[in-house]
Amino acid sequence: MNDKFEYLLRQGDNALILSQQISQLCGKGPALEEDMALTNVALDLLGQTRMWLAYAGELEGRGRGEDQLAYLRDAHDMRCCLLVEQPNGNYAETIMRQFYFDSWHYFLMQGLLKSSDARIAQIAEKSIKEVTYHLRRSGDLVVRMGDGTAHSHGLTQAAANDLWMYSGEMFIYDGVDDAMVEQGVAPASEPLRAAFLEHVGEIFAEATLVMPAPSAWMQRGGKQGRHSEHLGFILAEMQFLQRAYPGAQW
């Protein structure tokens, strides 16, 4: 399969699955303002999903659009990283998952603004304002919870530790990623990882959190279609209507 098609699926699936995860919390936020903000993040990510998957479908040339790619692929065909499919858990876990993702996502979009593929650069340009807000918001919440009560600090530190093993997969490049770097489509891994670690370190210091060791072993496999059991449950709910009533439209 075309490397660029695979790369586009990875970006679209990351945004799609995280959007689905966050949308499950609509109406369940700890405060009304936060509930609305989290729902808006989910909508932002869904809008980005549509751009990535629409381009992927066009490039594939098999007549599959964004809807078919989102709702008619099984778990082993999905290319999201393992981080985004981790359970919502408590709110510290939800926000820490978001913060790790946002910290990578922001620097990736910055790199994709310079992509040799004009369409990808355009998607990055349309997404960067939203992604910048996402990063600022999740970072602020990590600081508030980490430097809050003893209880909130403990939950936030535990979330940081537990999810750390999923924070590095995005920087572990394979043949698809390497091809995109070689073609000037995507940024190299090392600068992204360095920027990620620097930003996470700064936020954790402000939040009085201990940053896990950067050299720690990382889970991997999601980008190649090897997922945790969590993704199957996510897809079962997300894809039910389309699979039960094929071709259904509002």
Side-chain angles (χ1 to χ4, degrees), residues 8 48 81 125 154 157 171:
L8 293 170
Q48 294 167 27
C81 60
E125 185 175 7
Q157 184 68 67
F171 307 102

Side-chain angles (χ1 to χ4, degrees), residues 2-3 5-14 73 75-85 101 104 108 166-181 186-189 192 218-228 231:
N2 183 281
D3 287 331
F5 172 73
E6 283 284 320
Y7 188 76
L8 293 170
L9 285 185
R10 292 176 180 185
Q11 308 316 315
D13 289 351
N14 279 330
R73 282 184 295 146
H76 63 272
D77 293 318
M78 302 299 289
R79 295 294 183 260
C80 58
C81 60
L82 297 174
L83 175 65
V84 299
E85 62 194 57
F101 178 82
W104 163 75
L108 176 67
Y166 302 104
S167 70
E169 182 183 6
M170 299 85 79
F171 307 102
I172 303 174
Y173 278 18
D174 61 4
V176 171
D177 298 307
D178 291 338
M180 294 299 96
V181 174
S189 173
L192 291 183
M218 294 293 168
Q219 293 277 4
R220 66 183 73 184
K223 296 196 294 183
Q224 293 80 29
R226 301 189 301 273
H227 296 282
S228 68
L231 184 61

Side-chain angles (χ1 to χ4, degrees), residues 15 67 112 137 146 163 186 194 213 234 250:
D67 290 337
L112 291 180
R137 172 187 163 274
L163 290 169
I234 296 169
W250 291 107

